[in-house]
Amino acid sequence: MPTDWRTDRIGAALRGENPTVLRRLTAGFAVIGDVQFLPGYSVLLVDEPHVRRLSDLPRGKRLSFLSDMDRLGEAVEQVCQRLDPAFRRVNLEILGNTDPFLHAHVWPRYAWEPAEVRDKPVWLHPRTRWTDERFALGPRHDVLREAIGSELDRLRTGTRPERIPRLG
């Protein structure tokens, strides 16, 4: 019986079985988040399943991972800015508190977020947002997925961005 890709996100990405993968980067995989209560939420997964901390990587690969995080953050910023005029900024986080592998969160932040969490860490959003089916990744996010992937490609090659239709 095949295992759920969520139980081994990195292994599934390496095998080409992780459906959230946007692009393979230098030191990891850019993936779109399972939840999209903040549209554009993405994660950078290290490409070595047993690496738990940034300091576990040799210096060169560590710098590549940080460079990949920067590239994913810029891609999310550019896309979210084009798609939603209420976009404010991107938060980048390497926390390592729950999942036992190195990963970085890329959180777009918006002016329409509830006032009580707008200027606070994303983790203070109500727990229900993390499990509400309305925010689950699905086909309605295909435009967003494609746009972030294309922006990652553009940042790699230095080409001009294409016009993206606004969501909603």
Side-chain angles (χ1 to χ4, degrees):
M1 176 180 211
T3 60
D4 181 358
W5 62 269
R6 288 174 191 87
T7 62
D8 181 14
R9 291 174 186 272
I10 297 168
L14 289 166
R15 294 187 303 274
E17 299 168 1
N18 183 330
T20 64
V21 171
L22 299 167
R23 293 293 186 275
R24 175 74 154 98
L25 302 180
T26 305
F29 296 92
V31 302
I32 192 161
D34 297 0
V35 295
Q36 290 292 307
F37 62 87
L38 294 172
Y41 166 54
S42 299
V43 179
L44 175 64
L45 302 175
V46 72
D47 61 5
E48 297 182 36
H50 303 294
V51 171
R52 297 177 58 86
R53 297 174 277 290
L54 188 62
S55 59
D56 288 344
L57 294 172
R59 174 104 23 221
K61 186 136 186 192
R62 192 181 308 178
L63 295 174
S64 291
F65 184 84
L66 293 172
S67 180
D68 286 350
M69 182 178 72
D70 171 64
R71 185 167 145 210
L72 179 56
E74 185 175 351
V76 168
E77 179 178 317
Q78 293 298 317
V79 167
C80 293
Q81 209 166 28
R82 290 193 300 262
L83 292 176
D84 189 336
F87 171 79
R88 294 174 56 221
R89 70 173 51 90
V90 164
N91 293 158
L92 303 170
E93 301 176 320
I94 299 176
L95 301 172
N97 297 324
T98 304
D99 293 316
F101 50 85
L102 176 61
H103 61 286
H105 299 272
V106 178
W107 289 106
R109 302 303 301 264
Y110 297 93
W112 49 253
E113 290 178 63
E116 62 273 10
V117 293
R118 185 178 311 126
D119 297 322
K120 297 192 170 43
V122 169
W123 309 103
L124 296 178
H125 272 265
R127 294 275 44 126
T128 55
R129 290 182 183 227
W130 302 85
T131 57
D132 188 325
E133 282 300 312
R134 293 178 302 152
F135 303 120
L137 181 64
R140 68 188 172 284
H141 299 106
D142 287 349
V143 167
L144 188 57
R145 292 172 62 110
E146 178 57 34
I148 295 171
S150 294
E151 188 65 19
L152 285 165
D153 294 343
R154 186 193 72 76
L155 290 169
R156 185 190 70 232
T157 63
T159 57
R160 294 182 51 93
E162 292 183 27
R163 184 108 169 98
I164 302 170
R166 291 207 183 268
L167 296 178

